[in-house]
Short mmCIF file of all heavy atoms in Angstrom, two decimals:
data_model
loop_
_atom_site.label_atom_id
_atom_site.label_comp_id
_atom_site.label_asym_id
_atom_site.label_seq_id
_atom_site.Cartn_x
_atom_site.Cartn_y
_atom_site.Cartn_z
N GLU A 47 -73.78 -45.27 -29.34
CA GLU A 47 -74.53 -44.49 -28.36
C GLU A 47 -74.58 -43.03 -28.80
O GLU A 47 -73.64 -42.50 -29.39
CB GLU A 47 -73.86 -44.61 -26.99
CG GLU A 47 -73.95 -46.02 -26.41
CD GLU A 47 -73.32 -46.14 -25.03
OE1 GLU A 47 -72.58 -45.21 -24.65
OE2 GLU A 47 -73.57 -47.15 -24.34
N ASN A 48 -75.73 -42.41 -28.54
CA ASN A 48 -76.01 -41.04 -28.99
C ASN A 48 -76.13 -40.94 -30.51
O ASN A 48 -76.08 -39.84 -31.05
CB ASN A 48 -74.96 -40.05 -28.48
CG ASN A 48 -75.07 -39.80 -27.00
OD1 ASN A 48 -76.18 -39.68 -26.46
ND2 ASN A 48 -73.95 -39.74 -26.31
N GLY A 49 -76.31 -42.08 -31.18
CA GLY A 49 -76.45 -42.05 -32.63
C GLY A 49 -77.86 -41.69 -33.07
O GLY A 49 -78.83 -41.87 -32.34
N ARG A 50 -77.95 -41.16 -34.31
CA ARG A 50 -79.24 -40.79 -34.90
C ARG A 50 -79.27 -41.35 -36.32
O ARG A 50 -78.38 -41.06 -37.13
CB ARG A 50 -79.43 -39.27 -34.93
CG ARG A 50 -79.13 -38.58 -33.60
CD ARG A 50 -79.41 -37.09 -33.69
NE ARG A 50 -80.52 -36.75 -32.84
CZ ARG A 50 -81.12 -35.54 -32.83
NH1 ARG A 50 -80.70 -34.59 -33.63
NH2 ARG A 50 -82.12 -35.32 -32.02
N TYR A 51 -80.29 -42.14 -36.63
CA TYR A 51 -80.29 -42.89 -37.87
C TYR A 51 -81.69 -42.91 -38.50
O TYR A 51 -82.70 -42.73 -37.82
CB TYR A 51 -79.86 -44.34 -37.62
CG TYR A 51 -78.54 -44.47 -36.88
CD1 TYR A 51 -78.52 -44.66 -35.49
CD2 TYR A 51 -77.33 -44.42 -37.57
CE1 TYR A 51 -77.32 -44.79 -34.82
CE2 TYR A 51 -76.12 -44.54 -36.89
CZ TYR A 51 -76.12 -44.73 -35.51
OH TYR A 51 -74.94 -44.85 -34.84
N TYR A 52 -81.71 -43.17 -39.83
CA TYR A 52 -82.98 -43.44 -40.50
C TYR A 52 -82.74 -44.43 -41.62
O TYR A 52 -81.62 -44.57 -42.13
CB TYR A 52 -83.64 -42.16 -41.02
CG TYR A 52 -83.02 -41.58 -42.28
CD1 TYR A 52 -83.55 -41.87 -43.54
CD2 TYR A 52 -81.93 -40.71 -42.22
CE1 TYR A 52 -83.00 -41.34 -44.69
CE2 TYR A 52 -81.38 -40.18 -43.36
CZ TYR A 52 -81.91 -40.50 -44.60
OH TYR A 52 -81.36 -39.97 -45.76
N VAL A 53 -83.80 -45.15 -42.00
CA VAL A 53 -83.73 -46.13 -43.08
C VAL A 53 -85.03 -46.10 -43.85
O VAL A 53 -86.12 -46.05 -43.26
CB VAL A 53 -83.42 -47.54 -42.52
CG1 VAL A 53 -84.45 -47.96 -41.48
CG2 VAL A 53 -83.34 -48.57 -43.63
N LYS A 54 -84.94 -46.11 -45.18
CA LYS A 54 -86.12 -46.11 -46.04
C LYS A 54 -86.40 -47.52 -46.55
O LYS A 54 -85.49 -48.34 -46.67
CB LYS A 54 -85.91 -45.16 -47.23
CG LYS A 54 -85.81 -43.69 -46.82
CD LYS A 54 -85.72 -42.78 -48.03
CE LYS A 54 -84.35 -42.86 -48.68
NZ LYS A 54 -84.18 -41.84 -49.74
N HIS A 55 -87.66 -47.79 -46.87
CA HIS A 55 -88.06 -49.09 -47.37
C HIS A 55 -88.96 -48.89 -48.58
O HIS A 55 -90.07 -48.36 -48.45
CB HIS A 55 -88.78 -49.88 -46.27
CG HIS A 55 -89.19 -51.26 -46.67
ND1 HIS A 55 -88.29 -52.23 -47.03
CD2 HIS A 55 -90.41 -51.84 -46.76
CE1 HIS A 55 -88.93 -53.36 -47.33
NE2 HIS A 55 -90.22 -53.14 -47.17
N HIS A 56 -88.48 -49.30 -49.76
CA HIS A 56 -89.23 -49.16 -51.00
C HIS A 56 -89.77 -47.73 -51.20
O HIS A 56 -90.88 -47.54 -51.72
CB HIS A 56 -90.35 -50.18 -51.07
CG HIS A 56 -89.87 -51.59 -51.23
ND1 HIS A 56 -89.37 -52.10 -52.40
CD2 HIS A 56 -89.79 -52.60 -50.33
CE1 HIS A 56 -89.01 -53.35 -52.23
NE2 HIS A 56 -89.24 -53.69 -50.98
N ASP A 57 -89.01 -46.76 -50.75
CA ASP A 57 -89.24 -45.34 -51.03
C ASP A 57 -90.44 -44.72 -50.31
O ASP A 57 -90.51 -43.49 -50.20
CB ASP A 57 -89.41 -45.07 -52.53
CG ASP A 57 -88.15 -45.34 -53.32
OD1 ASP A 57 -87.05 -45.23 -52.73
OD2 ASP A 57 -88.24 -45.66 -54.52
N THR A 58 -91.40 -45.51 -49.83
CA THR A 58 -92.62 -44.91 -49.29
C THR A 58 -92.83 -45.19 -47.81
O THR A 58 -93.80 -44.70 -47.23
CB THR A 58 -93.85 -45.41 -50.08
OG1 THR A 58 -93.94 -46.83 -49.98
CG2 THR A 58 -93.75 -45.00 -51.55
N THR A 59 -91.97 -46.01 -47.23
CA THR A 59 -91.99 -46.27 -45.79
C THR A 59 -90.61 -45.90 -45.23
O THR A 59 -89.60 -46.10 -45.89
CB THR A 59 -92.31 -47.75 -45.50
OG1 THR A 59 -93.70 -47.97 -45.77
CG2 THR A 59 -92.03 -48.13 -44.07
N MET A 60 -90.59 -45.37 -44.02
CA MET A 60 -89.32 -44.93 -43.43
C MET A 60 -89.36 -45.13 -41.93
O MET A 60 -90.41 -45.02 -41.30
CB MET A 60 -89.09 -43.45 -43.75
CG MET A 60 -87.78 -42.88 -43.20
SD MET A 60 -87.46 -41.18 -43.72
CE MET A 60 -88.75 -40.30 -42.82
N PHE A 61 -88.20 -45.43 -41.36
CA PHE A 61 -88.03 -45.51 -39.92
C PHE A 61 -86.89 -44.59 -39.51
O PHE A 61 -85.89 -44.48 -40.21
CB PHE A 61 -87.70 -46.94 -39.48
CG PHE A 61 -88.70 -47.97 -39.90
CD1 PHE A 61 -88.53 -48.67 -41.06
CD2 PHE A 61 -89.83 -48.21 -39.12
CE1 PHE A 61 -89.47 -49.63 -41.46
CE2 PHE A 61 -90.76 -49.16 -39.50
CZ PHE A 61 -90.58 -49.86 -40.68
N ALA A 62 -87.05 -43.96 -38.37
CA ALA A 62 -85.98 -43.12 -37.82
C ALA A 62 -85.86 -43.43 -36.33
O ALA A 62 -86.87 -43.69 -35.66
CB ALA A 62 -86.29 -41.64 -38.03
N PHE A 63 -84.63 -43.43 -35.83
CA PHE A 63 -84.46 -43.75 -34.41
C PHE A 63 -83.21 -43.09 -33.86
O PHE A 63 -82.27 -42.76 -34.59
CB PHE A 63 -84.43 -45.27 -34.19
CG PHE A 63 -83.36 -46.01 -34.95
CD1 PHE A 63 -82.13 -46.30 -34.36
CD2 PHE A 63 -83.58 -46.43 -36.25
CE1 PHE A 63 -81.15 -47.00 -35.05
CE2 PHE A 63 -82.60 -47.13 -36.95
CZ PHE A 63 -81.39 -47.41 -36.36
N THR A 64 -83.25 -42.89 -32.55
CA THR A 64 -82.11 -42.32 -31.83
C THR A 64 -81.70 -43.29 -30.73
O THR A 64 -82.53 -44.00 -30.16
CB THR A 64 -82.44 -40.95 -31.22
OG1 THR A 64 -83.52 -41.10 -30.28
CG2 THR A 64 -82.84 -39.96 -32.30
N ILE A 65 -80.41 -43.31 -30.44
CA ILE A 65 -79.84 -44.18 -29.41
C ILE A 65 -79.41 -43.32 -28.23
O ILE A 65 -78.76 -42.28 -28.42
CB ILE A 65 -78.62 -44.96 -29.95
CG1 ILE A 65 -78.96 -45.65 -31.28
CG2 ILE A 65 -78.12 -45.95 -28.91
CD1 ILE A 65 -80.02 -46.70 -31.19
N GLY A 66 -79.76 -43.73 -27.03
CA GLY A 66 -79.35 -42.99 -25.84
C GLY A 66 -77.89 -43.24 -25.51
O GLY A 66 -77.17 -43.95 -26.22
N GLU A 67 -77.44 -42.66 -24.42
CA GLU A 67 -76.03 -42.79 -24.04
C GLU A 67 -75.81 -43.87 -22.98
O GLU A 67 -74.69 -44.08 -22.54
CB GLU A 67 -75.51 -41.46 -23.52
CG GLU A 67 -76.25 -40.90 -22.32
CD GLU A 67 -75.81 -39.50 -21.96
OE1 GLU A 67 -75.78 -38.64 -22.86
OE2 GLU A 67 -75.50 -39.29 -20.77
N GLN A 68 -76.90 -44.56 -22.59
CA GLN A 68 -76.77 -45.60 -21.57
C GLN A 68 -77.50 -46.87 -21.98
O GLN A 68 -78.16 -47.52 -21.19
CB GLN A 68 -77.32 -45.10 -20.22
CG GLN A 68 -76.60 -43.90 -19.67
CD GLN A 68 -77.24 -43.37 -18.40
OE1 GLN A 68 -78.15 -43.97 -17.86
NE2 GLN A 68 -76.76 -42.23 -17.93
N VAL A 69 -77.36 -47.26 -23.25
CA VAL A 69 -78.10 -48.43 -23.74
C VAL A 69 -77.51 -49.73 -23.23
O VAL A 69 -78.17 -50.77 -23.26
CB VAL A 69 -78.14 -48.44 -25.28
CG1 VAL A 69 -78.97 -47.30 -25.80
CG2 VAL A 69 -76.73 -48.40 -25.86
N ALA A 70 -76.27 -49.73 -22.79
CA ALA A 70 -75.65 -50.98 -22.33
C ALA A 70 -76.36 -51.54 -21.11
O ALA A 70 -76.53 -52.75 -20.96
CB ALA A 70 -74.17 -50.75 -22.03
N SER A 71 -76.79 -50.66 -20.20
CA SER A 71 -77.40 -51.13 -18.96
C SER A 71 -78.89 -51.39 -19.11
O SER A 71 -79.41 -52.41 -18.67
CB SER A 71 -77.15 -50.09 -17.85
OG SER A 71 -77.68 -48.83 -18.23
N ARG A 72 -79.62 -50.46 -19.75
CA ARG A 72 -81.07 -50.60 -19.86
C ARG A 72 -81.53 -50.02 -21.19
O ARG A 72 -81.43 -48.82 -21.42
CB ARG A 72 -81.76 -49.88 -18.69
CG ARG A 72 -83.26 -50.15 -18.61
CD ARG A 72 -83.80 -49.73 -17.25
NE ARG A 72 -85.22 -49.98 -17.16
CZ ARG A 72 -86.16 -49.05 -17.34
NH1 ARG A 72 -85.79 -47.80 -17.61
NH2 ARG A 72 -87.44 -49.33 -17.23
N CYS A 73 -82.01 -50.89 -22.05
CA CYS A 73 -82.33 -50.46 -23.42
C CYS A 73 -83.83 -50.43 -23.62
O CYS A 73 -84.41 -51.27 -24.31
CB CYS A 73 -81.66 -51.40 -24.42
SG CYS A 73 -81.56 -50.71 -26.08
N THR A 74 -84.51 -49.49 -22.97
CA THR A 74 -85.95 -49.36 -23.12
C THR A 74 -86.31 -48.81 -24.49
O THR A 74 -85.51 -48.14 -25.14
CB THR A 74 -86.52 -48.44 -22.03
OG1 THR A 74 -85.85 -47.18 -22.11
CG2 THR A 74 -86.33 -49.04 -20.66
N LEU A 75 -87.52 -49.08 -24.91
CA LEU A 75 -87.95 -48.75 -26.27
C LEU A 75 -89.20 -47.89 -26.25
O LEU A 75 -90.21 -48.25 -25.64
CB LEU A 75 -88.21 -50.05 -27.04
CG LEU A 75 -88.70 -49.93 -28.48
CD1 LEU A 75 -87.67 -49.23 -29.35
CD2 LEU A 75 -89.02 -51.32 -29.03
N ARG A 76 -89.14 -46.74 -26.91
CA ARG A 76 -90.30 -45.87 -27.12
C ARG A 76 -90.54 -45.78 -28.62
O ARG A 76 -89.69 -45.33 -29.37
CB ARG A 76 -90.04 -44.46 -26.58
CG ARG A 76 -89.72 -44.39 -25.10
CD ARG A 76 -90.97 -44.50 -24.24
NE ARG A 76 -90.61 -44.34 -22.84
CZ ARG A 76 -90.20 -45.32 -22.05
NH1 ARG A 76 -90.09 -46.55 -22.53
NH2 ARG A 76 -89.90 -45.10 -20.78
N MET A 77 -91.72 -46.22 -29.05
CA MET A 77 -92.05 -46.24 -30.47
C MET A 77 -93.20 -45.29 -30.78
O MET A 77 -94.10 -45.09 -29.96
CB MET A 77 -92.45 -47.66 -30.90
CG MET A 77 -91.34 -48.68 -30.79
SD MET A 77 -91.88 -50.33 -31.33
CE MET A 77 -92.92 -50.79 -29.93
N GLY A 78 -93.17 -44.75 -31.97
CA GLY A 78 -94.29 -43.98 -32.51
C GLY A 78 -94.53 -44.40 -33.94
O GLY A 78 -93.60 -44.80 -34.65
N ALA A 79 -95.77 -44.34 -34.40
CA ALA A 79 -96.09 -44.76 -35.77
C ALA A 79 -97.13 -43.83 -36.37
O ALA A 79 -98.07 -43.39 -35.70
CB ALA A 79 -96.59 -46.21 -35.78
N ALA A 80 -96.94 -43.54 -37.65
CA ALA A 80 -97.90 -42.76 -38.44
C ALA A 80 -97.86 -43.32 -39.86
O ALA A 80 -97.02 -44.15 -40.19
CB ALA A 80 -97.55 -41.27 -38.42
N HIS A 81 -98.77 -42.87 -40.72
CA HIS A 81 -98.76 -43.38 -42.09
C HIS A 81 -98.56 -42.25 -43.10
O HIS A 81 -98.97 -41.11 -42.89
CB HIS A 81 -100.01 -44.20 -42.42
CG HIS A 81 -101.32 -43.48 -42.34
ND1 HIS A 81 -101.86 -42.80 -43.40
CD2 HIS A 81 -102.22 -43.38 -41.32
CE1 HIS A 81 -103.05 -42.31 -43.05
NE2 HIS A 81 -103.28 -42.65 -41.80
N THR A 82 -97.91 -42.62 -44.20
CA THR A 82 -97.49 -41.64 -45.21
C THR A 82 -98.49 -41.50 -46.35
O THR A 82 -98.35 -40.60 -47.18
CB THR A 82 -96.14 -42.06 -45.82
OG1 THR A 82 -96.27 -43.37 -46.41
CG2 THR A 82 -95.05 -42.10 -44.76
N ASP A 83 -99.48 -42.39 -46.43
CA ASP A 83 -100.43 -42.35 -47.54
C ASP A 83 -101.72 -41.66 -47.13
O ASP A 83 -101.95 -41.39 -45.94
CB ASP A 83 -100.70 -43.76 -48.06
CG ASP A 83 -101.35 -44.66 -47.01
OD1 ASP A 83 -101.05 -44.50 -45.81
OD2 ASP A 83 -102.16 -45.54 -47.39
N PHE A 84 -102.56 -41.39 -48.11
CA PHE A 84 -103.83 -40.70 -47.88
C PHE A 84 -104.77 -41.03 -49.03
O PHE A 84 -104.33 -41.39 -50.14
CB PHE A 84 -103.62 -39.19 -47.77
CG PHE A 84 -102.69 -38.63 -48.82
CD1 PHE A 84 -103.15 -38.29 -50.08
CD2 PHE A 84 -101.34 -38.48 -48.55
CE1 PHE A 84 -102.29 -37.81 -51.06
CE2 PHE A 84 -100.46 -38.00 -49.51
CZ PHE A 84 -100.94 -37.66 -50.78
N PRO A 85 -106.09 -40.92 -48.83
CA PRO A 85 -107.02 -41.19 -49.93
C PRO A 85 -106.79 -40.24 -51.10
O PRO A 85 -106.61 -39.03 -50.91
CB PRO A 85 -108.39 -40.96 -49.29
CG PRO A 85 -108.17 -41.16 -47.82
CD PRO A 85 -106.79 -40.63 -47.56
N CYS A 86 -106.79 -40.80 -52.29
CA CYS A 86 -106.56 -39.98 -53.48
C CYS A 86 -106.95 -40.81 -54.70
O CYS A 86 -107.71 -41.78 -54.60
CB CYS A 86 -105.11 -39.51 -53.56
SG CYS A 86 -103.90 -40.85 -53.61
N LEU A 87 -106.43 -40.44 -55.86
CA LEU A 87 -106.67 -41.18 -57.10
C LEU A 87 -105.34 -41.68 -57.63
O LEU A 87 -104.34 -40.96 -57.61
CB LEU A 87 -107.34 -40.28 -58.15
CG LEU A 87 -108.62 -39.58 -57.71
CD1 LEU A 87 -109.10 -38.62 -58.79
CD2 LEU A 87 -109.72 -40.60 -57.40
N ARG A 88 -105.31 -42.91 -58.11
CA ARG A 88 -104.09 -43.51 -58.66
C ARG A 88 -104.20 -43.60 -60.18
O ARG A 88 -105.23 -44.00 -60.71
CB ARG A 88 -103.88 -44.91 -58.08
CG ARG A 88 -102.58 -45.58 -58.53
CD ARG A 88 -102.47 -46.99 -57.94
NE ARG A 88 -101.18 -47.60 -58.20
CZ ARG A 88 -100.87 -48.31 -59.28
NH1 ARG A 88 -101.79 -48.47 -60.22
NH2 ARG A 88 -99.66 -48.84 -59.44
N VAL A 89 -103.14 -43.21 -60.87
CA VAL A 89 -103.11 -43.29 -62.33
C VAL A 89 -102.93 -44.75 -62.75
O VAL A 89 -102.00 -45.43 -62.31
CB VAL A 89 -101.97 -42.42 -62.91
CG1 VAL A 89 -101.96 -42.52 -64.44
CG2 VAL A 89 -102.14 -40.97 -62.48
N LYS A 90 -103.80 -45.24 -63.62
CA LYS A 90 -103.73 -46.62 -64.09
C LYS A 90 -102.68 -46.77 -65.20
O LYS A 90 -102.28 -45.78 -65.82
CB LYS A 90 -105.09 -47.06 -64.62
CG LYS A 90 -106.16 -47.27 -63.56
CD LYS A 90 -107.44 -47.77 -64.22
CE LYS A 90 -108.53 -48.06 -63.20
NZ LYS A 90 -109.77 -48.57 -63.85
N PRO A 91 -102.26 -48.01 -65.48
CA PRO A 91 -101.42 -48.23 -66.67
C PRO A 91 -102.20 -47.85 -67.94
O PRO A 91 -103.43 -47.83 -67.95
CB PRO A 91 -101.14 -49.73 -66.63
CG PRO A 91 -101.40 -50.15 -65.22
CD PRO A 91 -102.48 -49.24 -64.71
N ASN A 92 -101.47 -47.57 -69.03
CA ASN A 92 -102.10 -47.14 -70.28
C ASN A 92 -103.14 -46.06 -69.99
O ASN A 92 -104.34 -46.25 -70.20
CB ASN A 92 -102.75 -48.33 -70.99
CG ASN A 92 -101.76 -49.44 -71.28
OD1 ASN A 92 -100.68 -49.19 -71.81
ND2 ASN A 92 -102.12 -50.68 -70.95
N PRO A 93 -102.70 -44.91 -69.48
CA PRO A 93 -103.65 -43.97 -68.85
C PRO A 93 -104.41 -43.06 -69.81
O PRO A 93 -105.39 -42.45 -69.40
CB PRO A 93 -102.71 -43.12 -67.99
CG PRO A 93 -101.42 -43.09 -68.75
CD PRO A 93 -101.30 -44.47 -69.36
N ASP A 94 -103.98 -42.96 -71.06
CA ASP A 94 -104.53 -41.92 -71.93
C ASP A 94 -105.88 -42.29 -72.50
O ASP A 94 -106.08 -43.39 -73.06
CB ASP A 94 -103.55 -41.62 -73.06
CG ASP A 94 -102.30 -40.91 -72.55
OD1 ASP A 94 -102.42 -39.74 -72.14
OD2 ASP A 94 -101.22 -41.53 -72.55
N LEU A 95 -106.83 -41.37 -72.37
CA LEU A 95 -108.17 -41.49 -72.92
C LEU A 95 -108.50 -40.22 -73.71
O LEU A 95 -107.92 -39.15 -73.47
CB LEU A 95 -109.20 -41.66 -71.80
CG LEU A 95 -109.15 -42.94 -70.96
CD1 LEU A 95 -110.04 -42.78 -69.73
CD2 LEU A 95 -109.60 -44.13 -71.78
N ALA A 96 -109.45 -40.35 -74.61
CA ALA A 96 -109.95 -39.17 -75.34
C ALA A 96 -111.46 -39.30 -75.46
O ALA A 96 -111.99 -40.37 -75.75
CB ALA A 96 -109.31 -39.09 -76.72
N ALA A 97 -112.17 -38.19 -75.18
CA ALA A 97 -113.63 -38.20 -75.27
C ALA A 97 -114.13 -36.79 -75.58
O ALA A 97 -113.75 -35.83 -74.90
CB ALA A 97 -114.25 -38.70 -73.98
N ALA A 98 -114.95 -36.67 -76.64
CA ALA A 98 -115.62 -35.40 -76.98
C ALA A 98 -114.64 -34.25 -77.12
O ALA A 98 -114.96 -33.11 -76.76
CB ALA A 98 -116.69 -35.08 -75.94
N GLY A 99 -113.45 -34.53 -77.62
CA GLY A 99 -112.47 -33.47 -77.83
C GLY A 99 -111.58 -33.17 -76.65
O GLY A 99 -110.74 -32.27 -76.70
N TYR A 100 -111.73 -33.93 -75.55
CA TYR A 100 -110.92 -33.72 -74.36
C TYR A 100 -109.91 -34.87 -74.19
O TYR A 100 -110.25 -36.04 -74.42
CB TYR A 100 -111.79 -33.66 -73.11
CG TYR A 100 -112.81 -32.55 -73.10
CD1 TYR A 100 -114.12 -32.80 -73.50
CD2 TYR A 100 -112.46 -31.27 -72.70
CE1 TYR A 100 -115.07 -31.80 -73.50
CE2 TYR A 100 -113.41 -30.26 -72.69
CZ TYR A 100 -114.70 -30.52 -73.10
OH TYR A 100 -115.63 -29.52 -73.10
N ALA A 101 -108.74 -34.53 -73.76
CA ALA A 101 -107.78 -35.54 -73.32
C ALA A 101 -108.04 -35.82 -71.85
O ALA A 101 -108.17 -34.90 -71.04
CB ALA A 101 -106.35 -35.03 -73.53
N GLN A 102 -108.13 -37.11 -71.49
CA GLN A 102 -108.40 -37.50 -70.12
C GLN A 102 -107.40 -38.54 -69.65
O GLN A 102 -106.64 -39.10 -70.46
CB GLN A 102 -109.83 -38.04 -69.98
CG GLN A 102 -110.90 -36.99 -70.17
CD GLN A 102 -112.30 -37.57 -70.00
OE1 GLN A 102 -112.79 -38.28 -70.87
NE2 GLN A 102 -112.91 -37.28 -68.86
N VAL A 103 -107.42 -38.83 -68.34
CA VAL A 103 -106.51 -39.79 -67.73
C VAL A 103 -107.32 -40.84 -66.99
O VAL A 103 -108.22 -40.50 -66.21
CB VAL A 103 -105.52 -39.09 -66.78
CG1 VAL A 103 -104.63 -40.11 -66.08
CG2 VAL A 103 -104.66 -38.08 -67.54
N ASN A 104 -107.00 -42.10 -67.19
CA ASN A 104 -107.69 -43.20 -66.54
C ASN A 104 -107.13 -43.38 -65.12
O ASN A 104 -105.92 -43.57 -64.94
CB ASN A 104 -107.50 -44.48 -67.34
CG ASN A 104 -108.44 -45.59 -66.92
OD1 ASN A 104 -109.38 -45.38 -66.15
ND2 ASN A 104 -108.20 -46.79 -67.42
N VAL A 105 -107.99 -43.32 -64.11
CA VAL A 105 -107.56 -43.39 -62.71
C VAL A 105 -108.46 -44.35 -61.95
O VAL A 105 -109.54 -44.72 -62.41
CB VAL A 105 -107.60 -42.00 -62.04
CG1 VAL A 105 -106.66 -41.02 -62.72
CG2 VAL A 105 -109.03 -41.44 -61.99
N GLU A 106 -107.99 -44.73 -60.76
CA GLU A 106 -108.80 -45.50 -59.83
C GLU A 106 -108.72 -44.86 -58.46
O GLU A 106 -107.76 -44.14 -58.16
CB GLU A 106 -108.33 -46.96 -59.77
CG GLU A 106 -106.91 -47.14 -59.29
CD GLU A 106 -106.47 -48.59 -59.28
OE1 GLU A 106 -107.32 -49.46 -59.00
OE2 GLU A 106 -105.29 -48.85 -59.56
N VAL A 107 -109.71 -45.12 -57.63
CA VAL A 107 -109.76 -44.53 -56.29
C VAL A 107 -108.86 -45.32 -55.36
O VAL A 107 -108.89 -46.56 -55.34
CB VAL A 107 -111.20 -44.51 -55.75
CG1 VAL A 107 -111.24 -43.97 -54.32
CG2 VAL A 107 -112.09 -43.66 -56.66
N TYR A 108 -108.06 -44.61 -54.58
CA TYR A 108 -107.20 -45.22 -53.57
C TYR A 108 -107.72 -44.83 -52.20
O TYR A 108 -107.81 -43.65 -51.87
CB TYR A 108 -105.76 -44.74 -53.74
CG TYR A 108 -104.80 -45.24 -52.67
CD1 TYR A 108 -104.18 -46.48 -52.80
CD2 TYR A 108 -104.53 -44.49 -51.53
CE1 TYR A 108 -103.30 -46.95 -51.84
CE2 TYR A 108 -103.66 -44.96 -50.55
CZ TYR A 108 -103.05 -46.18 -50.71
OH TYR A 108 -102.19 -46.65 -49.74
N GLY A 109 -108.07 -45.82 -51.38
CA GLY A 109 -108.55 -45.55 -50.04
C GLY A 109 -110.00 -45.08 -50.03
O GLY A 109 -110.70 -45.07 -51.04
N GLY A 110 -110.46 -44.67 -48.85
CA GLY A 110 -111.86 -44.31 -48.65
C GLY A 110 -112.12 -42.83 -48.82
O GLY A 110 -112.52 -42.13 -47.89
N ALA A 111 -111.89 -42.32 -50.02
CA ALA A 111 -112.06 -40.89 -50.29
C ALA A 111 -113.53 -40.48 -50.32
O ALA A 111 -114.40 -41.27 -50.69
CB ALA A 111 -111.40 -40.53 -51.62
N ILE A 112 -113.82 -39.23 -49.89
CA ILE A 112 -115.13 -38.63 -50.12
C ILE A 112 -115.11 -38.12 -51.55
O ILE A 112 -114.53 -37.07 -51.85
CB ILE A 112 -115.42 -37.49 -49.12
CG1 ILE A 112 -115.31 -38.00 -47.68
CG2 ILE A 112 -116.81 -36.91 -49.38
CD1 ILE A 112 -115.51 -36.93 -46.63
N LEU A 113 -115.71 -38.86 -52.46
CA LEU A 113 -115.46 -38.67 -53.88
C LEU A 113 -115.85 -37.30 -54.40
O LEU A 113 -115.11 -36.69 -55.18
CB LEU A 113 -116.19 -39.76 -54.67
CG LEU A 113 -115.78 -41.21 -54.36
CD1 LEU A 113 -116.55 -42.17 -55.24
CD2 LEU A 113 -114.28 -41.41 -54.51
N ASN A 114 -117.03 -36.78 -53.99
CA ASN A 114 -117.47 -35.53 -54.60
C ASN A 114 -116.60 -34.34 -54.21
O ASN A 114 -116.66 -33.29 -54.85
CB ASN A 114 -118.95 -35.25 -54.28
CG ASN A 114 -119.24 -35.17 -52.80
OD1 ASN A 114 -118.38 -34.82 -52.00
ND2 ASN A 114 -120.46 -35.51 -52.42
N THR A 115 -115.77 -34.48 -53.18
CA THR A 115 -114.89 -33.36 -52.80
C THR A 115 -113.71 -33.22 -53.77
O THR A 115 -112.99 -32.22 -53.71
CB THR A 115 -114.34 -33.55 -51.38
OG1 THR A 115 -113.50 -34.71 -51.32
CG2 THR A 115 -115.46 -33.70 -50.37
N TRP A 116 -113.52 -34.20 -54.64
CA TRP A 116 -112.44 -34.12 -55.63
C TRP A 116 -112.86 -33.42 -56.91
O TRP A 116 -112.02 -33.14 -57.78
CB TRP A 116 -111.94 -35.54 -55.95
CG TRP A 116 -111.10 -36.06 -54.82
CD1 TRP A 116 -111.54 -36.61 -53.65
CD2 TRP A 116 -109.68 -36.02 -54.72
NE1 TRP A 116 -110.48 -36.92 -52.83
CE2 TRP A 116 -109.32 -36.57 -53.47
CE3 TRP A 116 -108.67 -35.58 -55.57
CZ2 TRP A 116 -107.99 -36.68 -53.06
CZ3 TRP A 116 -107.35 -35.69 -55.17
CH2 TRP A 116 -107.02 -36.24 -53.92
#
Side-chain angles (χ1 to χ4, degrees):
E47 293 181 345
N48 288 319
R50 311 183 113 189
Y51 307 97
Y52 76 95
V53 56
K54 294 184 286 188
H55 182 62
H56 291 286
D57 294 333
T58 60
T59 287
M60 181 175 69
F61 303 94
F63 57 95
T64 61
I65 310 296
E67 59 188 51
Q68 299 175 7
V69 292
S71 58
R72 188 165 180 261
C73 197
T74 56
L75 178 63
R76 301 282 184 273
M77 295 180 287
H81 62 88
T82 59
D83 62 327
F84 44 85
C86 59
L87 306 174
R88 184 182 187 272
V89 180
K90 289 183 177 181
N92 303 312
D94 290 291
L95 293 168
Y100 299 96
Q102 291 181 286
V103 176
N104 193 10
V105 298
E106 61 182 325
V107 176
Y108 176 86
I112 303 177
L113 299 182
N114 59 28
T115 65
W116 285 81

